Structures are given as structure tokens and as C-alpha cells.
Amino acid sequence: MKRLLISIVLLFSLSQAQDSVLFIVPAEISGGGATVGNNWADGVKLAAEHINAAGGILGAQVVTEVLDTQTDPPTSKAVIAKGLEKNPFAVIGPVYSGSTIVNMVEAERAKTPQWVGSEAASITQQGNQFIFRTSSGQNGSIPKVTKFMKDEGINSVVIIYVNNEFGQGGRAAAVENFGNLGIDVKLELSTEQQQADFTPEVLQAIMVGADAIFAYVNEEESARLLIALQQQGVTIPVFGEAVLLSQVVLDLAGDAANGVAGHVNLTAEAPVPAVQEFRAAFEAKYGYTPDHNAMKGYIAMFVAKEMAERVGSFDKLAVAEQLHCSLITTEDEPGVLMDIAYDENGDIDRDTFLISIQDGKQVVTGVLPRLKNTCADQ
Amino acid sequence: MQLQFFVQLLVSGIATGAIYALMAVGFALLWQTSGTINFAQGEFIMVSSFIILWLMGLLHIGLVPAFFLAMFISMFIFGFLFKRILVDPLLKYGDVPLIIATIGLGMIIRELTRIFWGANALPFPSLVKNKILIFGGLRVGTADLVTIAVAIVIIAALQLFLNKTFVGRSMEATAQNQDVARILGINVDRMILYTFLINAFLVTSAALLVTPKLLAKFSSGETFGLIAFMAAIIGGFNQVRGALIGGFLIGIIDNLAKFYLARVHLPFTDITLNLSPYALAIPLLLLIGVILFKPEGIFGRKEERSI
Amino acid sequence: MVAGYGATTILNSTTIEVHEAALTTVIGPNGAGKSTLFKAIFGMLPIREGKILLEGQDITHLKPLALLEKGMAYVPQGRNIFPQLSVEHNLEFGGISLKNLQETRVRMEKVYEQFPILKARAKKQAGTLSGGEQKMLEIGRAMLLEPKLLLIDEPSIGLSPILVQQTFDLLLALRDRGVSILMIEQNAKKALGISDYGIVLQQGRLAMAGTAQGILNHPEIGHLFLGGVVKV
Ligand SMILES: Nc1ncnc2c1ncn2[C@@H]1O[C@H](COP(=O)(O)OP(=O)(O)OP(=O)(O)O)[C@@H](O)[C@H]1O
Ligand SMILES: [Mg+2]
């Protein structure tokens, strides 16, 4: 009798397993990166819902298991290691570069593809064949902002960056590109993750009298920085990247964000129909405007789906191999929202946007077309 | 030029310090009158800002009425109930169980806040729309000025209450020597309750002033609690004035240190180092110095109690 | 009565009597429970067994405020002022049980007449007073109530001989005005010398009671203060 019961349970779980495919979703659900991680996880969950509604992947229903990294690198490593014991098809997340740097070895060891929202340059420079970005890394996007700043007539700049993997990578790329463009970096200010008050930095920046501020800190810190700039009455222009220009920062900083400009990989304001459809669905489900991280999480799921379908199975090794140097167009898979090309390292190439903040809203001021310089287009 | 920045830093340091002072004074008051070291102080502040936001949304009222309502709620929960349910039953077992209980309470408040209001930071309205005033070469934001003014009015009112009214003096007496206060017929228990209510009022005020700049976030209580604790130790645990000055000191030192450490020029070289990441060490060094050399706090007095 | 701290018993079936309008001094070795006795009488410690009567009225479990209202005042051992409050505000607390600030102010003036030094220092922080002045302040604060019964614990401690004499004179003057005084003193000889009655406490029990003269002349009293035990 006991045996029979056990076999029934086993059979049941086995049949379940065949009908579903597991994605583990490490994300910054709590801790300093909570805003980011929840956007990411919500994007992933929405994608899973859409995929399942359309019949799943290769007939299997998508199951997502969100794992809270607490915005803590060692915790992220631990939860991923634990999650990998369940033999998921893919790891979707996390976002914080500092976490990804330490946890990506786990997925690599388990030969499981991992899509991350992280942008630190070093992530794709270590020969890891299982790591994939969902937005261009700093090496891809920072040259675009700095070029934009040069075009705007900026000749000197103060860099305010956050002292973590993400900020240091951004700072290094920015310094290099400003140098190439002949923009004088008058001052570099390092700030802390979870820093509360940015007044001293702001006053430093005014004192050196640069043409512009280039801000490269995380979401909540970006908002606090903008509020501090406004409180000190700073009028010099502020430039930045996806984070600074994200919806979250706009919501938090209110009118302190007006006038900020820069370049983003993705934006819910993108004049692209698929993006607008995604945004509407997201807002209907969660009641807030998705930021770029929500879009990245959503896209990651559809890239994984497309690759499983191209390979024809949930063969993780084959998926990872195949994705390098692949182009996925919106005709192949509308869920990727915009054509996306992967290079041999897991970096991507996609259309990007120039943005400025007006009346508390992102306004797209230009579209920078895909560079088509990766192996996917050769 | 240099002086102008110094003054500007000073002003914003005073604004931050004034808020820290509010956090620290209540913390010190609780300690003095009831021996409670409240490690949930930071969470009281943090959750007060969420209560204000919640009331604004729920009742469609402005910031100021929401603040006053929140103040009563906070007085009831973090004043009256906190004392009756947690402090009174535990205090007779000494300091340690109560310390542990307040740490636990802080964690519970943090988690509940996360569950009810989410992990994301929320924007928080400020009392005034910031305008930049220019005095000579000095630029000062009205936000900072209003923060300083409100904090100073609250602190002055508290000082007047403590010194100029009989009830206030009875509270001071209770803080200075509880046994003697009891012998003289002071209703010690009621005086202690008053300090809990005052603390609740102070944390709500601190929340009102600090959150527009730092955003409402479930995890920010940890920093606030640490600051209140540090300010109280640095200034002197056993004196309201000590905690007050401790709060201002941390606000100002923190600002100045970050600013001046950002570009430290090594003498005889052209090397300039950015030591601002280590700015936090300065209040910490001060704290360690105080603990080692003047454990009663810079402005505190040595305990002398008998009976 | 039986009383003590927490589970420990210090006063074990201690019975004493205080005479009206007389000065009664309690003596006994360190740790005998003298101060504990006062705390128990004044409602600062729970009384587990026994009764305390004031003019025949049961006051056993009354709180300090009620006792103050009944005309008792207590000046504990050591420093009992609020060092950071002014002398004036310290004195003011003597009148809490009157529940009448006007009346308190009137009586404060009377205390100032007795202790002009307190008036001179009225606005100063009490902590800046000398030890003797602080004791004056405490006694003045207790006198403000014009109590029927004054409990005073080691008033002479830390005072110069002149001040000790002044303090004793003050207590005698109070007694002459009809106040009953129960005093604890280390300086047994001197204290009993001016007292009407004496009580010897030893290990929480009454060892001896009687007129001050009788106790002073008791053959075993000297023995007691050399650390021995009195056999009664
Ligand atoms: N607060 C307290 N908690 C516990 N035990 C106490 C406390 N106060 C006093 N004791 C103990 O009670 C006993 C009696 O102390 P008490 O102070 O009454 O002595 P005393 O006769 O006044 O001595 P002294 O002459 O030194 O003032 C001592 O053993 C003392 O250790
Ligand atoms: Mg004694």
C-alpha cells in the first residue's frame, strides 16, 4: 500500500515535471536593490504568464521560482546554488552586477544558461559561455552617452559614481570615453551604495565648476542625488544612463529629475508598438509603470523560449551554444520586443534611445540604430 | 569661495543634524526615564513616514493634517502600547531582555512594512517647495531652512516644556533620580509614559523632515537607529542637551568630512586622493573616542546615584 | 514587618515604635537593614507581612504620595537632589502632595527664612551646591510639608563637625515644634546623646529599644560597634 502510494506520488510529480519547465529567478526582492529586483521579477512573471497563455514552451508550461538575493552577493550565490539543485532550464537574474559577478560561476558550473540584467563590463569578459545580458553592457552604452554629451557641447564633467561593481565599471568606461572625446574630467566622486545624503557631493561638483555632471549610481541613490542637486539649486546639466533615467528614479525624484538627459537601452516610452503593448499589459497587471529592468526580465524569458524552440529541446548546453552569435528578430519572436543580437561573449546589440526628462516624463529625443557589428550579423 | 562652500556645508549639515537631534533626543529621554535602550527607534521613524503616506492616500488629506494624525497614531502605538506591552513587563528583568526585544520589534516593524508597503522606496512630499535663496554668494535652499526651523521650534518647545512647566520638571526629576522622584510623590510611571509619548511625537517629526530627501523605504530605519544611538552616546546618554548636540555634531561632521576628504592633497606631491568613502569613519572614530575617554558623553555628566 | 529585596528577606519580623514629638535614633552595624526599614515604611518596598500604623491608622501598603499626604516625609541616605535642576525647582518638589502651587510657594518662602543660603542660591543648579548645602536643601524640602513624622537616614554623613551640629540643632528644633523624628545615624554616641529614644537593629531584627540614655549606658553597646553581637 505504502509503495503504491509512493509510486503514485512519484508518477504524479514526474508527469508534472514533463509538462513544465522551471526557471529560477534570483532577484533583488529585498535590500537596497529592491526596486530594481521587483521590477525584474514582475517582468519575468508577466512573460511566463504570456508564454503559458500561448501554450508554453515546446508544450511545457513555464514555472518560475523567484529567489530573493536580498541585494547581497553571497546570498545571491547561495540561493542560486540551491535553486540549481532543482535542475532548472535557465537562471533569469539577478540585476545587480556585484551579485552576478560572484554567482555566475554557479550557473556555469551547472551548465545552465543565465540571463542577467547586470551591465558591469567585466561580466562578459571572463569567457563564461553561459552568461547572457539583456541590455548592452557599459562598454556598449557608455560610448553612446559620452558621444551625446560631446554633441551637446559639454567640455568638462564631474563623474559621480557608486562604489560597487556597477559604478566602478561605468566610471572606468566613462573616463576612457571622455578622454577619447577630449572632455575634461574635473573630478570623480565615489559614493556608497545606499548612501542617504548627497549634499557634500553636490557641493563638490559645483565647486569645481564643470559643464556637466555624469551620474552613475543606483536607482534610489540617483533619486536622492537629484533631490540634493535641486535642494542646492544646481543648474548645470546632469547626464546619465539607463538607471538615472529610469521610471523608478523619475517617480522618486519628482520634479527634481526634470532636465536630466542621456541614453538608455530600453524605455517604456520607446516609440515601438510592441513595447507599448508590453507596457499596457504590465501596468494592467501590476499597477505601476515598468522600468527598463522589467522589460529586460520580460525579454530574457522570450529569448530563452526562442532558443529552446530553435534547439527543439530543453538542452541547456545546446541553447547556450546556439545563442552566441544569434539574431532574434521580432518576427521570430515578438516577445523580445525589439530585434536583439548576441555576440560571442553574451553581449547584445539592439536599437537604443536618447532620452531627456521633461515634466517628470521620459521623452525620447532620438533613436540610435543597432550597430550590427556583432558576429550575429556577419 | 572656499568659505562660501564651508558655510553652505554647514547649513546643510545643520539641517541634517537637526533631524538627527530629534531622533537622538527621544532615544536619550527613554533611556533616562525608564532605562529603555530602544533599538527600534529607527524603525519607529521609518514606519511613521509610511503611516503619513498611507493616511494621505486613504483620507485624501494633505501632508500636514496627515502628519498630525500620524502623530496621534504613533503616540498610541509607539508611545502607549510600546510601553505597556513591551517595556513595562520586561524592564524588571534588566536591560538586556528589553534590548533584545526592541531589536526584535525593529525587525518585525521592518518586515511588516515591507509586506504592507513593499520593498520599493516611495517618494515623500516635502513641507515646502524648494526655492533657492541667495544671500551674497551663499545659496540656501528653503527646504533646508524649513527643516532647521521646524526642528528648532520642536526642540525649543520641548526644552521649554521640560524646564518651564512643573510636569516637565517632574519628568526631568524622574530622569535624574527616579527613587527620589518617587519619594517626593512624583507619579513616576506617568512621567515615564509622557516621555514615551514625547518620543513618539519626535520620531514622527523626524520622519516628516527626513523622508522628503531620503525617501520612504522599509530598510532605512537601520541607519536612523544607528544615528540616534551614536548621537546619544557621543553627546551624552543621560542628558537631553547631550543627545541634541550629538545629533547636530554627526550631521555637520558627516557633511564636512565627506566634502573635505573628497580631495585630499598629499603635501609635497601632486597626488590628490579621494578619501570620501572613509568619511563615515570620522563620526565612528569620534564614537570610539568618546567610549574610551569620556564614556558619559562629551556633554553628559557622570552618573551619581545613591539610595 | 517582613520585607526585603526580591526574594531575599532583610527585615524579619522587625517591630519598632516611634514616639510622638520625640527624636528616636536607629543604630546598628552596616548592613543591619536600617535603610531598608525606612524604605519599607515609606512604601518603597513591598511589605510581605505585618502592619505599619500611623496614629492608629493602617498605612501598611500606601504609596509615597499617600504617605506624604498623611504627613510623613523621608530624607534618604546619600544625595537626593536633582543636580541639574535649580535649587528653587528642587525645593518646589517638596510640595507635590499639597497639590497647590500657590501654597507651595508660600511655604518655600518659609523654608528660605530658615535657610537663607538656599534663597541666595535659588537660581543655581543644585549640583553646584556644597555637600552641606545639598543636605540643607533636602531637609528644607522635607520640612516644606511641615510633616508630623520625619524619617531621616544618616543626615550627618559627609558633613563637617560644625554642619553636623547645625543639622542636629535643626532636628531638635523641629522636635520641639512637635515633629516626630526617626533618624538613622552611624555616629551612635553623638546621636543617642541628643536623642530621646534609641533603637538597635541587628541583622534585620530589633535587638534593643528604649530611652537613648538607657541604650548609651548599656554594657554591650560598645561591643556591638566593635563588630560583635548584642545578646538581649
Ligand atoms: N537595592 C537592594 N537590593 C538588594 N539588596 C539590598 C539592596 N539594598 C540593600 N540591600 C541589602 O540589604 C541589606 C541591608 O541593607 P541596608 O542598606 O538596609 O543596611 P543599613 O543598615 O542601612 O547599612 P548602612 O549602615 O551601611 O547604611 C544589606 O545586606 C544589603 O546588601
Ligand atoms: Mg543605610
Side-chain angles (χ1 to χ4, degrees), chain B residues 94 136 199 205 223 241 256:
Chain B
N199 181 51
S205 310
T223 323
R241 197 181 41 156
L256 292 179

Side-chain angles (χ1 to χ4, degrees), chain C residues 128-145:
Chain C
T128 64
L129 297 184
S130 74
E133 289 164 348
Q134 290 187 13
K135 211 66 203 174
M136 292 300 131
L137 176 56
E138 286 177 38
I139 296 173
R141 188 173 62 189
M143 281 167 56
L144 190 124
L145 268 189

